[in-house]
Amino acid sequence: MGVLDGKVSFVTGGSRGIGRAICLALAEAGSDIALNYSTSREAAEEVAALIHKMGRKALIYQANVSNPDEDDTMVAQIVKDFGLVHIVVNNAGITRDKSFVKMDRPMWHEVLNVNLTGPAMIIHRLIKPMMEHGWGRIINITSIVGQMGNFGQANYAAAKGGLIALTKTLAREFAKKGVTVNAVAPGFIETDMTAEVPPASLDIVKQMTPMGRLGKPEEVAATVAFLASPQASFITGEIIGVNGGMYM
Ligand code: NAI
C-alpha cells in the first residue's frame, strides 16, 4: 500500500531528468501516471515500462506544453483514459541563455511560453474538476534562479519567478477547495540541462553550494512526492528549495 494509491498524477516533461525521477517517485508511492513528453518517445516508453513493473498504470502523451491546441488534445485524452487527475506536476522547462542585451524577442517568448504560460494554462484546464472533487495537489518546478536571479538568464529567471508568484496566488484561490499549490525550487541538479553548463562554471556553483556538490534528480523528486502526499495537507503556497544550501 502506498500513500498515493488510487491517485492519478500528470507530469509534464516526464521522459528524462527531474521529470523522469518525479514519475518514478510518484508511482513508487502508489500513483498512476500520465506522462507528457515533447520529443523522445523511446525514453518516455522506457519510464512507462518501469512504472508498469511497479504495478501502476502509465500512459504517455506527446505535446509541446506551450502549444494550446496540443495541450487541449492531450488533456482531453488524459481525462478520457484516467478520469480525474488528482496531482499535477508542471516540470517541463527550457533555457535559452544570453546576456540581456543580446537576448532577442523569440528567446524571451519561447522561455516564458514553456516555463510560465504553459504551466498556468495546464492548471487552468485541470483545476475545475479537482476543486469539485475537493482534493488536489499542484506542484510547480521553479528554480533557484527564480529566487536569486542569474547572469545570462533574464528570460528564465523572469519565468521561474513568475511561476513562484503564480503558485502563491493560486494557493490562495484554491485553498478552501482542498487543492494545495506549492513549488519546488531546485538548485543545480545533475541532468541534461546542467550538462550544457561549462565545467568551470559548475565548479563555481559547487564552491557556492555549502554541500559542495550538485543535486540528484531523485532528491528533487522525493520533495515532490512529499508535497503530493496526504502528510503535506496543511502546506500550501510554499516554495521549497532543494539546493544544498546555496540559497537560504
Ligand atoms: P531536462 O532538460 O533534462 O528536462 C526537461 C524536460 O522538459 C525534458 O523532458 C523536455 O523534453 C521537457 N520539455 C521541454 N520543453 C517542453 C515542451 N515545450 N513541452 C513539453 N515538454 C518539454 O531538464 P531538467 O533538469 O530535468 O529540468 C526539469 C525542470 O527542473 C525544468 O523546469 C527546469 O527548469 C527545472 N530546474 C532544473 C534545474 C537543474 O539544475 N537541472 C535547476 C532548477 C530547476
Side-chain angles (χ1 to χ4, degrees), residues 59-100:
L59 294 172
I60 64 172
Y61 302 88
Q62 195 281 328
N64 170 355
V65 294
S66 68
N67 180 314
D69 294 335
E70 292 184 22
D71 281 347
D72 276 340
T73 309
M74 170 173 64
V75 168
Q77 191 59 47
I78 290 172
V79 171
K80 221 185 228 176
D81 293 339
F82 286 91
L84 187 70
V85 174
H86 306 92
I87 297 160
V88 175
V89 184
N90 279 308
N91 164 78
I94 56 166
T95 51
R96 298 286 181 268
D97 299 351
K98 271 267 183 330
S99 65
F100 188 62

Side-chain angles (χ1 to χ4, degrees), residues 146-168:
Q147 299 172 301
M148 293 175 65
N150 196 24
F151 189 99
Q153 293 199 302
N155 49 2
Y156 186 77
K160 293 297 193 181
L163 196 53
I164 289 173
L166 178 74
T167 299
K168 292 180 179 180

Side-chain angles (χ1 to χ4, degrees), residues 16 18 38 63-65 91 94 141-142 156 160 186-187 189 191 194:
R16 67 168 197 242
I18 293 171
S38 62
N64 170 355
V65 294
N91 164 78
I94 56 166
I141 308 303
T142 176
Y156 186 77
K160 293 297 193 181
I189 309 297
T191 68
T194 44

Side-chain angles (χ1 to χ4, degrees), residues 13-200:
S15 64
R16 67 168 197 242
I18 293 171
R20 178 183 195 275
I22 290 171
C23 288
L24 296 177
L26 293 174
E28 187 71 46
S31 180
D32 291 331
I33 308 289
L35 184 162
N36 155 259
Y37 69 98
S38 62
T39 47
S40 48
R41 183 176 186 89
E42 214 172 287
E45 279 172 350
E46 202 181 287
V47 181
L50 289 172
I51 295 169
H52 294 151
K53 273 194 194 149
M54 296 177 191
R56 309 296 169 197
K57 179 172 167 178
L59 294 172
I60 64 172
Y61 302 88
Q62 195 281 328
N64 170 355
V65 294
S66 68
N67 180 314
D69 294 335
E70 292 184 22
D71 281 347
D72 276 340
T73 309
M74 170 173 64
V75 168
Q77 191 59 47
I78 290 172
V79 171
K80 221 185 228 176
D81 293 339
F82 286 91
L84 187 70
V85 174
H86 306 92
I87 297 160
V88 175
V89 184
N90 279 308
N91 164 78
I94 56 166
T95 51
R96 298 286 181 268
D97 299 351
K98 271 267 183 330
S99 65
F100 188 62
V101 288
K102 292 184 186 154
M103 190 174 284
D104 57 23
R105 266 174 183 264
M107 291 173 83
W108 176 268
H109 285 298
E110 195 184 352
V111 170
L112 267 289
N113 284 339
V114 174
N115 294 8
L116 179 58
T117 308
M121 294 303 115
I122 280 173
I123 297 167
H124 200 262
R125 282 177 177 83
L126 288 163
I127 189 60
K128 271 195 193 152
M130 223 186 242
M131 290 202 295
E132 280 159 18
H133 178 66
W135 192 96
R137 296 280 191 265
I138 294 167
I139 301 158
N140 296 318
I141 308 303
T142 176
S143 168
I144 192 170
V145 171
Q147 299 172 301
M148 293 175 65
N150 196 24
F151 189 99
Q153 293 199 302
N155 49 2
Y156 186 77
K160 293 297 193 181
L163 196 53
I164 289 173
L166 178 74
T167 299
K168 292 180 179 180
T169 296
L170 298 187
R172 290 181 190 278
E173 291 198 13
F174 306 157
K176 290 226 166 56
K177 302 290 185 184
V179 178
T180 67
V181 189
N182 291 291
V184 175
F188 287 75
I189 309 297
E190 281 169 13
T191 68
D192 290 356
M193 192 175 268
T194 44
E196 292 170 15
V197 178

